[in-house]
Amino acid sequence: MKKAYITVDGIHVPIEGEKNLLEVIRKANIELPTFCYHSEISVYGACRMCMVDIEGRGLQPSCSTSAADGMVVKTNTKEIRNLRKMIVELMLAHHDQNCTTCPKSGECRLQEIAQQLGVSKVRFKQIHDFAPLDDSSDAIVRDPSKCVLCGDCVRVCNEIQSVGVLDFAQRGFSSTVVASFDKPFGTVECVNCGQCIKVCPVGALSPKSQIDGVWEAIHDPKKKVVVQIAPAVRVSLGEYFGYKPGAATSGQIITALRMLGFDQIYDTAFAADLTVLQEGDEFLERYLKGQNLPQFTSCCPAWVKFAEQYYPDMLPNLSTCKSPQQMFGSLCKDQLTKILDIEREDLVVVSIMPCTAKKYEAKRPEFFEGDNPDVDFVLTTKELSLMIKEQGIEFEKLEPGSYDMPFGFKTGAGVIFGNSGGVSEAVLRYAAAKLNHGKMLDVRELRGPESTRVAEISIGDVSLRLGIVSGLANARRLIDKVRSGEENFDLIEVMACCGGCINGGGQPTSSDQEHLSKRAKGLQDQDKMLQFHSSQENPYLQELMREDLTEEKAHELLHTFYQNRKRITLDDIMIRRPEQEAELSIKICLGTSCFLRGAQTLYSQLTDYITQNGLDEVTEISASFCNELCQKGPVVTINGKILEHCTFERAVQELKKVKSFAH
Amino acid sequence: MEGNPHSVLEGMIIAGKAVGASVGYIYVRTEYPLAVSNLKLAVKAAEEAGFLGKKIFGSDFDFEMRIMEGAGAFVCGEETALMASIEGKRGMPMPKPPFPAERGLFGKPTVINNVETFATVPVAMLMGVDVYAAKGTEKSSGTKTFALTGHVAHTGLIEVPFSTTLREIIVDIGGGVIDDDGVNRGADFKAVQIGGPSGGCLTQEHLDMSLDYDNLLKVGAMIGSGGLVVMNQQTCMIKIARFFMQFTQNESCGKCVVCREGTRQMLELLDDIIEGRATAETIELLEELAHVVKIGSLCGLGKTAPNPVLSTLKYFREEYDAHVFDKTCPTGQCEALSRYVIVPELCKSCSLCARACPVDAISGSKGVPYVIDQEICIRCGVCMDTCKFNAIVK
Ligand SMILES: Cc1cc2nc3c(=O)[nH]c(=O)nc-3n(C[C@H](O)[C@H](O)[C@H](O)COP(=O)(O)O)c2cc1C
Ligand code: SF4
Ligand code: SF4
Ligand code: SF4
């Protein structure tokens, strides 16, 4: 068949199955400006920046137009240039333009495009009527005064993560993006994965900075500040200093951390090795007993919260292992306090993570002893880069340093934790050796760029079926298949971010496949260069296990528990409250299950009944929401008494019991 | 929908049969309870009579009718937003293609039409298509319903062949143009806003033009919703443009930048003009912005929202200029630009006005005519109402 071509500004470009005109135009080496186009989420067509002139059809958005053979496209007419400039002017007029203090400054697409298009003046009236900044979440700060309403966060959270806590509210000029029910961000179902931060073109979503707290600790002479660096950080931090993605800069990072004033520099990969041993043993035990399979990994805190919210029935299948970050934290607070002979309060553990969910994880109450957390501060890759810049350190010129021992020693297995498939590969290296009398196994087939991968591995006469999935919507699809019995696995590795931690919410924003592959390769190269490749070979770990970690102690320090978070912990929604104190209180669940069983009708019947009987002045009516699908609905609570499968007659009977009134 | 819902149902059933659809939806605003209840009655009656449901008239054609009540957003009249709303999503338009006929409601091919279109189908079939098509003009055949309102003696819904001229509608059907107080003194016609809030305006020069699609397109207007708002000479066209802009900016769904931000900024610019803050740049910027919103918006709402501005700019440019450069409103409608002045010859120095003025802008003394300090005056007009000798003019 003859190849199809389009002409872009006079250049012939073939159409090769691209999903839209925009992608074809890219092949002419023209990057059209956009705010709302991301190849991995659905086309939205709202920013209108990518409009092009198609002969015979006039101006059309290239993101939502398909390329057709013979199309003649112009991307640079006077009309288009005016349009783009004016769009940016319109955005800027409704935007807090204090760029210098914005967390996104320097990486902001609005800033970049405004400069690129030469927008030197905003001719429109500045209208600033923004909702206040929301910093109620432990991981993410939302600043509506920066939002350009591109909807990228809404679609990522919904389509890629299937969490869907963000959406638009209001309309027209008052449109805003809000978290569910316009509740504070910290109280909703957000799993803190930070993928919304990664797509936000401006500073409306950003990781919650803990830089100040870390400086404070460093400057406090009483405190010993130790730091752990997660695997994925070492192949991406360099991007902030002009290195290519995947370039390993561990040596410089270590030197920089010392210059910043950290007392000990350790590697999270050491704790990852420990995780491998714990999780591997746990898996082998379950496998041999045939219990709680498939086993799910538990090192991704966003996935853990996701499971707690949406798959509470699967919680027994989660590995009870803490994540490497938390293993490291509890190990430090237990061991280092002894080695360094200091109080727990004076040992400050900082982690450098590619991830925003780790900020949330460190604040989970089960990871505290009294008021003192196992991990005191969590910095993202970006935050570390800012500290290095603040100090004026010329990163590129630094001589490489080396980790402190014992917690700075790791095997290649601990390092590959940073990319999707790495945990499984590391656990398998260990389990295979155990099952196979010490013989190692090459399990490279677990690697790959696909977000959902299935692998069957034979070790001796054992054959294992593994699922490796990243991106929570992908995880949901896979788990639903497991639930329905359509699929069966022994081990499932889940990472909330597509591609694994190398694409975490705390990483540099670029997330195209090419960047990710380079970061993954960076980790795999490190694995190759290290002396050992299986966690059980880590000599320091062997010593630790021998000397200090009894089975009981290991259980106390390294394992955790989960909680069912299916019920939405929202305040009830007060529908009507009388001025004086209410004598009657009616609460109706309007969650999906109750709704489908007629809760809405029951609600109207009851409110009518209250009014008809002159009880408005003494009755309080509220609604609650839940998504438990308890099958007991409609559930109505009258003065504290819970009525399941409630009918109108049953409710009235109860109301009459509580209060005698006419009729 | 209120008066003869059966005709709409019949049209939809015929359409369903024609394209092989099995379900029809009527999307109607909850705020029109009479339409909702009459439609429901009609559906029930049709089901009982066997016009709707399984095996209609013993054929193997099944057709079910569902009524969806919308929560009152103008933009939900836009096809893709309407379907999103029925699907339970936020009423926000989606880029086309895909068109509804390819991928519409719940991803299925969908025919979506106006109620009037459907109601016309049975009539046209009954009359015979040729007889129906003989009405109107060659390219715009048949009849059209208009909602005639504004400064005319008789307002209401009218149905006329497409070949009818504006003059026939205003004079013969509407009973002529009336003054602000409702009396027909043979007042002069100024303009008519056609096609709803985002239509354009027609002026004296279009009085003898027939209102068909092609003619309207030529002069930058459209039939749109079929609204016809007649305006007399006392109407300020800038205020009219502002009125419609206020409506569209409120009703923008907020999805695309140019419509969401652009309609609001156009409103701000119109306010500047009406309130005397405008300069030559204001008009230039308004014109440029109107063009950008028109070409850049995603859906019909945004694409047509600038029409009132563009068409008043086209036909009443001198009125804009008067506001901007002379700081006067030729019709005296714009309060901020009006001046209350005491005519010295008529003033009897009674001081009534000075006492009524809430900001003490009027001074004078016995035997000398009173004067209004224009710097202090807030143009509330109280003085004019209090003067017993009609000595104060605007
Ligand atoms: C903002 C907007 C609002 C609309 N509102 C309505 C409406 O209220 N009723 C209606 O029938 N069509 C409305 N339309 C037009 C419809 O989307 C659709 O094009 C029309 O009903 C198609 O039917 P027709 O071809 O029979 O006219 C609206 C369009 C836009 C862009
Ligand atoms: S952090 Fe993740 S879950 Fe939370 S809003 Fe962003 S994308 Fe959704
Ligand atoms: S928060 Fe960011 S990603 Fe979300 S709509 Fe606003 S600008 Fe877009
Ligand atoms: S043009 Fe206006 S109403 Fe239409 S999609 Fe854009 S913002 Fe929404």
Side-chain angles (χ1 to χ4, degrees):
Chain A
M1 211 178 83
K2 195 180 139 276
K3 227 182 189 170
Y5 279 88
I6 64 166
T7 311
V8 183
D9 296 336
I11 299 170
H12 286 282
V13 195
I15 307 174
E16 292 159 316
E18 288 81 7
K19 53 182 166 191
N20 54 28
L21 189 54
L22 188 144
E23 302 264 2
V24 185
I25 292 174
R26 277 188 180 161
K27 292 198 300 188
N29 298 317
I30 296 172
E31 189 61 42
L32 294 173
T34 68
F35 288 98
C36 68
Y37 180 71
H38 288 272
S39 52
E40 66 273 28
I41 47 181
S42 63
V43 169
Y44 189 56
C47 78
R48 318 309 281 168
M49 290 293 288
C50 71
M51 293 188 88
V52 293
D53 195 325
I54 304 175
E55 207 173 82
R57 287 172 60 181
L59 282 196
Q60 298 292 335
S62 60
C63 67
S64 59
T65 305
S66 312
D69 192 21
M71 230 178 214
V72 178
V73 178
K74 288 206 192 88
T75 70
N76 186 18
T77 65
K78 183 174 173 199
E79 196 175 41
I80 293 173
R81 292 185 49 238
N82 285 346
L83 172 77
R84 288 183 190 152
K85 274 193 173 183
M86 196 168 253
I87 291 176
V88 172
E89 270 187 80
L90 286 168
M91 282 182 168
L92 288 173
H94 192 193
H95 182 87
D96 169 22
Q97 289 182 58
N98 285 317
C99 284
T100 40
T101 51
C102 176
K104 194 77 171 198
S105 192
E107 284 182 289
C108 166
R109 192 129 75 236
L110 183 55
Q111 214 175 38
E112 181 191 320
I113 292 178
Q115 273 168 8
Q116 205 176 309
L117 300 183
V119 177
S120 52
K121 185 166 120 199
V122 176
R123 290 168 292 172
F124 300 110
K125 186 171 163 191
Q126 293 289 329
I127 308 174
H128 291 180
D129 53 355
F130 311 110
L133 181 134
D134 179 352
D135 60 357
S136 60
S137 155
D138 288 327
I140 296 167
V141 178
R142 279 189 64 233
D143 185 353
S145 72
K146 303 287 183 188
C147 179
V148 296
L149 299 168
C150 65
D152 295 350
C153 56
V154 174
R155 280 168 295 138
V156 150
C157 189
N158 196 17
E159 296 170 14
I160 305 288
Q161 300 301 52
S162 73
V163 176
V165 291
L166 294 170
D167 209 338
F168 289 95
Q170 316 294 346
R171 67 180 169 212
F173 196 76
S174 318
S175 299
T176 54
V177 168
V178 298
S180 332
F181 305 108
D182 203 5
K183 291 274 168 184
F185 211 24
T187 63
V188 296
E189 285 177 62
C190 167
V191 300
N192 307 295
C193 67
Q195 290 304 299
C196 51
I197 300 177
K198 295 205 65 174
V199 289
C200 180
V202 290
L205 288 163
S206 50
K208 190 171 197 173
S209 171
Q210 299 188 349
I211 294 178
D212 291 345
V214 173
W215 280 127
E216 192 103 340
I218 288 176
H219 295 324
D220 186 338
K222 257 186 36 214
K223 305 248 153 120
K224 273 257 176 274
V225 187
V226 305
V227 59
Q228 55 165 320
I229 310 166
V233 176
R234 67 203 64 187
V235 288
S236 59
L237 184 91
E239 290 172 45
Y240 290 111
F241 299 96
Y243 288 82
K244 293 228 157 62
T249 52
S250 314
Q252 282 114 306
I253 297 178
I254 294 165
T255 306
L257 286 168
R258 274 199 223 296
M259 290 167 79
L260 292 177
F262 289 97
D263 294 304
Q264 302 283 317
I265 324 279
Y266 295 135
D267 197 338
T268 309
F270 173 84
D273 275 336
L274 187 53
T275 309
V276 170
L277 304 190
Q278 295 290 320
E279 192 162 341
D281 285 339
E282 185 183 25
F283 172 66
L284 287 175
E285 191 185 327
R286 288 189 192 184
Y287 182 77
L288 295 174
K289 286 193 189 154
Q291 264 173 5
N292 292 340
L293 292 174
Q295 174 167 311
F296 287 97
T297 56
S298 60
C299 45
C300 169
W303 149 241
V304 167
K305 187 168 186 246
F306 185 85
E308 289 178 321
Q309 284 169 181
Y310 308 115
Y311 294 96
D313 53 317
M314 293 278 186
L315 291 178
N317 291 42
L318 256 66
S319 159
T320 61
C321 288
K322 289 182 184 173
S323 71
Q325 156 170 289
Q326 291 307 134
M327 282 200 183
F328 188 93
S330 37
L331 207 58
C332 278
K333 292 266 160 122
D334 185 73
Q335 298 278 309
L336 277 186
T337 43
K338 284 180 217 151
I339 299 172
L340 304 172
D341 189 25
I342 51 171
E343 293 297 317
R344 188 180 160 101
E345 281 64 35
D346 292 331
L347 178 69
V348 177
V349 177
V350 177
S351 19
I352 317 285
M353 292 284 146
C355 171
T356 42
K358 294 271 176 2
K359 285 178 184 275
Y360 153 82
E361 182 185 40
K363 292 249 154 72
R364 284 179 68 124
E366 59 269 32
F367 299 139
F368 274 67
E369 206 178 284
D371 288 347
N372 189 267
D374 294 345
V375 173
D376 295 79
F377 298 103
V378 180
L379 300 177
T380 57
T381 313
K382 166 91 191 252
E383 286 167 85
L384 176 59
S385 81
L386 293 177
M387 287 182 76
I388 295 174
K389 285 180 182 163
E390 181 181 348
Q391 196 72 340
I393 295 173
E394 294 184 272
F395 187 78
E396 337 53 87
K397 298 188 183 158
L398 296 182
E399 288 291 331
S402 49
Y403 288 103
D404 291 306
M405 294 301 140
F407 300 154
F409 195 92
K410 74 277 174 176
T411 72
V415 172
I416 54 171
F417 257 60
N419 51 272
S420 153
V423 183
S424 312
E425 188 172 337
V427 169
L428 269 193
R429 285 182 193 175
Y430 168 64
K434 251 197 146 167
L435 285 171
N436 225 5
H437 317 290
K439 216 170 118 226
M440 301 279 264
L441 186 79
D442 193 355
V443 278
R444 233 169 278 183
E445 59 224 80
L446 299 181
R447 299 178 186 175
E450 305 81 17
S451 302
T452 306
R453 308 196 286 281
V454 175
E456 297 194 25
I457 308 271
S458 305
I459 308 170
D461 48 5
V462 173
S463 96
L464 298 176
R465 197 169 149 77
L466 277 78
I468 293 158
V469 63
S470 61
L472 291 170
N474 294 326
R476 195 186 276 276
R477 279 187 280 271
L478 191 74
I479 302 170
D480 287 343
K481 283 188 190 161
V482 171
R483 244 188 189 168
S484 70
E486 190 186 332
E487 277 277 18
N488 224 333
F489 294 99
D490 299 299
L491 185 67
I492 300 181
E493 174 195 309
V494 187
M495 294 285 180
C497 302
C498 289
C501 304
I502 46 172
N503 190 26
Q507 289 282 66
T509 40
S510 54
S511 63
D512 57 87
Q513 196 49 52
E514 201 188 317
H515 267 90
L516 295 185
S517 302
K518 284 188 181 145
R519 290 184 197 150
K521 181 151 184 312
L523 290 179
Q524 283 148 9
D525 288 347
Q526 288 222 335
D527 171 29
K528 267 188 231 148
M529 273 152 42
L530 286 165
Q531 187 183 355
F532 301 115
H533 306 284
S534 257
S535 303
Q536 69 276 19
E537 299 170 302
N538 186 330
Y540 288 90
L541 201 53
Q542 288 167 358
E543 188 187 323
L544 180 76
M545 305 287 282
R546 231 179 9 247
E547 311 279 312
D548 303 292
L549 283 182
T550 58
E551 199 172 316
E552 202 176 313
K553 183 93 184 176
H555 200 265
E556 176 199 324
L557 287 182
L558 310 176
H559 290 259
T560 184
F561 55 91
Y562 307 107
Q563 75 187 80
N564 182 338
R565 290 179 200 265
K566 197 152 188 186
R567 183 170 285 265
I568 301 175
T569 49
L570 283 176
D571 308 334
D572 294 335
I573 295 173
M574 188 51 69
I575 293 173
R576 197 156 78 195
R577 171 179 274 157
E579 286 192 359
Q580 74 239 40
E581 191 160 342
E583 291 171 43
L584 282 174
S585 136
I586 303 178
K587 185 162 95 182
I588 302 181
C589 178
L590 292 175
T592 313
S593 170
C594 288
F595 182 82
L596 292 174
R597 288 156 187 266
Q600 180 88 36
T601 319
L602 186 57
Y603 163 77
S604 348
Q605 285 173 330
L606 282 173
T607 42
D608 287 352
Y609 182 82
I610 292 298
T611 309
Q612 280 155 17
N613 287 283
L615 295 170
D616 284 337
E617 296 300 305
V618 294
T619 310
E620 171 186 291
I621 300 178
S622 61
S624 63
F625 281 91
C626 89
N627 50 11
E628 278 182 47
L629 302 176
C630 70
Q631 315 295 329
K632 294 180 196 150
V635 178
V636 176
T637 312
I638 294 177
N639 281 26
K641 173 145 188 179
I642 298 172
L643 308 172
E644 290 170 354
H645 301 295
C646 189
T647 58
F648 176 59
E649 292 71 29
R650 178 73 192 83
V652 169
Q653 196 186 346
E654 187 60 32
L655 283 173
K656 285 189 172 153
K657 243 197 258 172
V658 177
K659 183 174 165 54
S660 49
F661 49 86
H663 310 284
Chain B
M1 288 189 285
E2 292 178 356
N4 182 7
H6 305 289
S7 62
V8 182
L9 298 190
E10 189 176 354
M12 287 180 74
I13 298 167
I14 294 169
K17 172 81 181 154
V19 301
S22 50
V23 183
Y25 280 87
I26 300 177
Y27 187 84
V28 50
R29 292 176 68 148
T30 304
E31 291 90 333
Y32 298 126
L34 185 61
V36 174
S37 62
N38 285 2
L39 274 169
K40 284 185 177 163
L41 281 176
V43 168
K44 199 154 170 262
E47 281 168 354
E48 281 164 10
F51 299 164
L52 274 177
K54 298 255 176 261
K55 306 224 174 296
I56 294 174
F57 296 138
S59 70
D60 49 12
F61 174 53
D62 302 339
F63 199 70
E64 182 195 339
M65 194 72 74
R66 300 183 191 160
I67 295 171
M68 268 305 297
E69 291 176 49
F74 176 62
V75 73
C76 286
E78 197 280 339
E79 308 171 333
T80 54
L82 185 151
M83 295 185 302
S85 172
I86 293 181
E87 290 173 10
K89 301 182 189 138
R90 179 180 162 91
M92 244 172 10
M94 291 293 290
K96 285 184 271 193
F99 290 94
E102 307 159 50
R103 185 145 29 97
L105 190 62
F106 300 110
K108 306 263 191 298
T110 305
V111 172
I112 177 162
N113 275 101
N114 190 302
V115 162
E116 183 184 351
T117 309
F118 282 124
T120 308
V121 171
V123 178
M125 286 179 80
L126 216 55
M127 269 185 172
V129 174
D130 295 340
V131 181
Y132 179 77
K135 300 187 186 301
T137 67
E138 197 191 337
K139 283 197 175 152
S140 307
S141 55
T143 62
K144 174 78 195 103
T145 320
F146 290 100
L148 184 62
T149 98
H151 298 133
V152 278
H154 316 303
T155 61
L157 280 178
I158 60 168
E159 183 175 354
V160 292
F162 272 111
S163 50
T164 315
T165 65
L166 192 54
R167 190 185 300 279
E168 284 168 332
I169 294 180
I170 295 174
V171 180
D172 300 349
I173 304 173
V177 180
I178 54 171
D179 281 334
D180 282 353
D181 57 9
V183 183
N184 184 351
R185 300 187 182 87
D188 275 346
F189 162 79
K190 182 168 191 178
V192 56
Q193 167 82 9
I194 178 164
S198 43
C201 63
L202 302 176
T203 64
Q204 302 231 339
E205 62 184 279
H206 307 114
L207 272 174
D208 294 309
M209 186 182 87
S210 71
L211 299 181
D212 59 58
Y213 288 106
D214 291 333
N215 272 344
L216 286 172
L217 201 67
K218 253 183 264 161
V219 298
M222 61 173 191
I223 290 212
S225 66
L228 275 180
V229 186
V230 179
M231 291 169 271
N232 62 20
Q233 287 290 356
Q234 284 130 54
T235 316
C236 169
M237 295 314 285
I238 327 286
K239 276 196 124 171
I240 287 294
R242 189 202 180 280
F243 175 83
F244 290 119
M245 193 51 68
Q246 170 84 57
F247 176 83
T248 38
Q249 83 103 26
N250 271 340
E251 293 296 335
S252 160
C253 79
K255 178 170 178 173
C256 60
V257 184
V258 278
C259 169
R260 179 184 71 231
E261 311 290 331
T263 51
R264 172 62 186 263
Q265 293 290 357
M266 276 196 271
L267 191 64
E268 295 286 338
L269 293 169
L270 287 169
D271 275 344
D272 285 348
I273 296 173
I274 286 169
E275 287 161 21
R277 292 183 298 269
T279 63
E281 276 159 41
T282 314
I283 294 210
E284 231 172 77
L285 189 58
L286 178 66
E287 211 162 5
E288 200 186 321
L289 177 57
H291 180 66
V292 159
V293 175
K294 189 183 174 85
I295 60 168
S297 289
L298 194 161
C299 84
L301 190 150
K303 282 188 176 77
T304 56
N307 283 348
V309 168
L310 288 169
S311 77
T312 48
L313 270 169
K314 182 167 168 194
Y315 296 116
F316 298 95
R317 184 68 182 223
E318 66 298 339
E319 226 173 293
Y320 276 89
D321 288 346
H323 282 74
V324 174
F325 299 110
D326 311 336
K327 302 282 180 242
T328 54
C329 171
T331 59
Q333 297 289 325
C334 295
E335 292 299 339
L337 295 180
S338 53
R339 295 257 179 293
Y340 290 89
V341 195
I342 300 174
V343 183
E345 295 77 34
L346 297 177
C347 176
K348 301 267 187 282
S349 306
C350 70
S351 84
L352 215 55
C353 60
R355 275 180 277 145
C357 176
V359 291
D360 289 334
I362 308 178
S363 57
S365 54
K366 250 199 160 67
V368 193
Y370 276 61
V371 284
I372 301 176
D373 186 336
Q374 297 298 339
E375 296 286 303
I376 305 175
C377 170
I378 54 164
R379 323 200 197 284
C380 65
V382 167
C383 52
M384 196 154 118
D385 297 341
T386 39
C387 182
K388 293 205 172 89
F389 312 102
N390 291 331
I392 303 182
V393 294
K394 205 155 95 163

